[in-house]
């Protein structure tokens, strides 16, 4: 998420202009960040079809609270934070609906499970904070400090969350492979 | 190189977080240590299988769609502002914009958990839903993390 000083200064100008109500400035910010935010939503939701709708709402939320952005973190980090919260809300709603366990799915569909579906299901078994941390690191390429800012936690917590997420995913992946999947 | 395994440092190495000198030292260690080498390979395998970012082609309409929503938010607020006393405008405009924001979303994609928040009776959460105080992202994150089982 790191960018060079010129880009940062440019971005700050855009943010100030957008905060002052200039429409084109906010539009430029959306244009700069939308691909990564859609990608993040898709990864967290495990569903590309929902990613754009979710990201659209993320940018609206950002717009509504734009005057609250004080520039203490990078704008991209701030957007990531809104996106993470929004997607967690969506996931909690979805969790109220019953879904098959992975084992049920393997039994029913055998080897035909698509890789993306497998990924979404295994990731869904992680506690929220681990899932978010590993997604921000591996999929979005954020460094420890950026993840800590997005998740409002210490760098040490980030390390712990990543470690536990990797241990669990490693185990579930092995379990799945030995059960005859993919 | 006879060096102790250090799983935290190994992970930092894998994540590209080690300063150059330590990075070089870890690289040397890995050459001679199968355990650490395999650990890194397994992390890579997990990332490749489960965490590869999808190839995305966002629709060409995405930015325009966001801006249409933004315009829809702004229009009624501006109209209202004309006949209200000046001191009332900012708070009402804010409340209205948040309300209109939720009302303007198709019901199928209203995702902010206003129902739960309203039912909770918690002051901060109520304020967030009612818009007297728009949520700061960290507040939302705080709530998000609080609410998990
Ligand atoms: Zn070793």
């Amino acid at each position: 998420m790191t960018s060079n000083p010129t880009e940062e200064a440019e971005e700050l100008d855009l943010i100030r202009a957008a905060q002052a109500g200039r429409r084109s400035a906010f539009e430029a910010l959306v244009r700069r960040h939308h691909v990564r935010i859609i990608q993040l939503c898709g990864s967290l939701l495990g569903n590309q079809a929902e990613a754009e709708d979710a990201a659209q709402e993320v940018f609206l939320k950002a717009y509504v609270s734009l005057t609250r952005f004080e520039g203490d973190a990078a704008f991209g980090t701030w957007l990531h934070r809104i996106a993470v919260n929004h997607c967690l809300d969506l996931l909690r709603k979805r969790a109220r609906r019953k879904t098959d366990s992975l084992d049920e799915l393997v039994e029913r569909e055998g080897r035909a499970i698509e890789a993306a579906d497998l990924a979404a299901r295994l990731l869904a078994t992680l506690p929220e904070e681990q899932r978010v941390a590993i997604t921000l690191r591996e999929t979005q390429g954020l460094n420890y400090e950026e993840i800590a800012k997005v998740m409002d936690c210490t760098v040490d917590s980030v390390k712990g969350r990543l470690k536990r997420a990797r241990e669990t995913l490693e185990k579930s992946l092995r379990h799945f492979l030995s059960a005859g999947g993919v | 190189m006879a060096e102790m395994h250090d799983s935290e440092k190994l992970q930092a190495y894998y994540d590209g977080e080690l300063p150059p000198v330590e990075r070089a030292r870890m690289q040397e260690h890995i050459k001679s240590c199968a355990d650490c080498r395999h650990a890194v390979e397994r992390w890579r395998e997990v990332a490749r299988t489960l965490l590869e970012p999808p190839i995305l082609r966002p629709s060409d309409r995405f930015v325009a769609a966001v801006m249409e929503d933004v315009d829809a938010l702004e229009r009624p607020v501006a109209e209202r502002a004309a006949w209200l006393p000046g001191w009332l405008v900012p708070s009402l405009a804010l409340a209205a914009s948040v309300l209109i924001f939720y009302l303007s979303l198709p019901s199928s994609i209203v995702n902010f958990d206003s129902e739960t928040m309203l039912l909770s009776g918690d002051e901060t959460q109520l304020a967030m839903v009612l818009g007297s105080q728009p949520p700061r992202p960290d507040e939302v994150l705080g709530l998000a993390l609080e609410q998990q089982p």
Side-chain angles (χ1 to χ4, degrees):
Chain A
M1 209 152 49
T2 36
S3 54
N4 66 50
T6 322
E7 273 174 38
E8 269 171 37
E10 249 179 50
E11 179 142 302
L12 206 59
D13 286 345
L14 285 175
I15 294 161
R16 298 292 168 241
Q19 284 174 328
R22 204 194 314 146
R23 185 186 185 278
S24 61
F26 186 73
E27 184 171 0
L29 289 168
V30 176
R31 204 171 290 287
R32 279 185 175 210
H33 292 277
H34 76 288
V35 176
R36 282 172 61 76
I37 294 299
I38 294 172
Q39 190 165 66
L40 174 61
C41 292
S43 298
L44 287 175
L45 297 173
N47 183 334
Q48 289 310 308
E50 293 172 22
E52 287 203 16
D53 282 349
Q56 198 171 329
E57 291 165 41
V58 167
F59 281 108
L60 269 190
K61 284 185 174 179
Y63 181 79
V64 170
S65 43
L66 194 61
T67 51
R68 295 279 193 138
F69 176 75
E70 283 162 3
D72 43 349
F75 187 68
T77 308
W78 187 70
L79 281 177
H80 269 65
R81 205 168 183 176
I82 299 177
V84 165
N85 292 325
H86 187 64
C87 291
L88 291 182
D89 265 349
L90 291 180
L91 287 169
R92 270 186 223 112
K93 294 209 154 165
R94 196 195 288 164
R96 293 178 199 158
R97 305 196 294 260
K98 192 201 172 301
T99 50
D100 295 342
S101 74
L102 186 62
D103 287 335
E104 285 167 340
L105 194 78
V106 172
E107 204 167 299
R108 190 154 46 81
E109 300 186 21
R111 304 176 68 87
I113 301 174
E114 295 210 5
D117 203 16
L118 169 70
R121 275 162 193 279
L122 290 192
L123 282 172
T125 63
L126 293 178
E128 248 168 33
E129 52 184 33
Q130 293 177 31
R131 188 171 61 222
V132 171
I134 195 84
T135 303
L136 292 173
R137 174 67 209 114
E138 294 280 13
T139 311
Q140 296 293 102
L142 270 59
N143 64 33
Y144 290 173
E145 212 175 304
E146 289 167 333
I147 300 171
K149 277 188 187 140
V150 170
M151 299 189 74
D152 200 17
C153 67
T154 63
V155 166
D156 277 339
S157 311
V158 172
K159 292 179 191 169
R161 288 169 190 183
L162 290 175
K163 183 170 182 282
R164 290 192 296 278
R166 284 174 173 138
E167 282 166 2
T168 308
L169 289 177
E170 224 182 282
K171 259 182 233 152
S172 357
L173 187 60
R174 228 177 302 145
H175 172 75
F176 176 76
L177 293 175
S178 65
V182 186
Chain B
M1 195 187 250
E3 197 176 314
M4 289 286 290
H5 310 297
D6 179 340
S7 69
E8 189 179 316
K9 208 171 258 185
L10 186 67
Q11 178 173 260
Y13 164 80
Y14 170 76
D15 284 324
E17 296 271 347
L18 286 186
V21 176
E22 283 186 71
R23 181 175 176 80
R25 202 175 297 154
M26 185 55 86
Q27 238 154 3
E28 277 306 305
H29 172 77
I30 282 174
K31 275 185 202 158
S32 58
C33 175
D35 286 352
C36 288
R37 202 164 53 236
H38 291 152
V40 167
E41 277 162 16
R42 287 196 307 270
W43 291 337
R44 226 166 251 150
E45 168 77 3
V46 164
R48 197 185 52 74
T49 320
L50 303 177
L51 295 154
E52 192 108 299
I55 298 159
L56 264 190
R57 267 196 53 90
S59 87
D60 299 335
R61 287 268 313 138
F62 182 83
V63 178
V66 170
M67 294 315 291
E68 277 164 23
D69 289 349
V70 163
D71 292 340
L73 269 184
E74 290 298 344
R75 214 173 299 122
V77 173
E79 280 162 20
R80 251 162 239 228
W83 52 268
L84 283 171
W87 61 269
L88 204 54
V89 172
S91 56
L92 281 185
L94 203 53
S97 66
V98 173
L99 185 64
I100 289 161
F101 165 43
Y102 293 117
L103 294 180
S104 67
L105 297 170
S107 61
S108 62
I109 59 161
V110 173
N111 298 313
F112 205 80
D113 200 350
S114 350
E115 188 186 69
T116 314
M117 289 184 166
L118 281 169
L119 291 175
S120 78
D122 177 278
E123 239 179 72
T124 322
Q125 300 196 6
L126 276 177
M128 283 167 54
V129 175
L130 298 177
S132 63
Q133 185 191 353
R136 287 203 343 250
D138 53 338
E139 279 169 0
V140 183
L141 185 70
L143 290 170
L145 294 177
E146 249 167 51
Q147 280 173 5
Q148 62 181 328

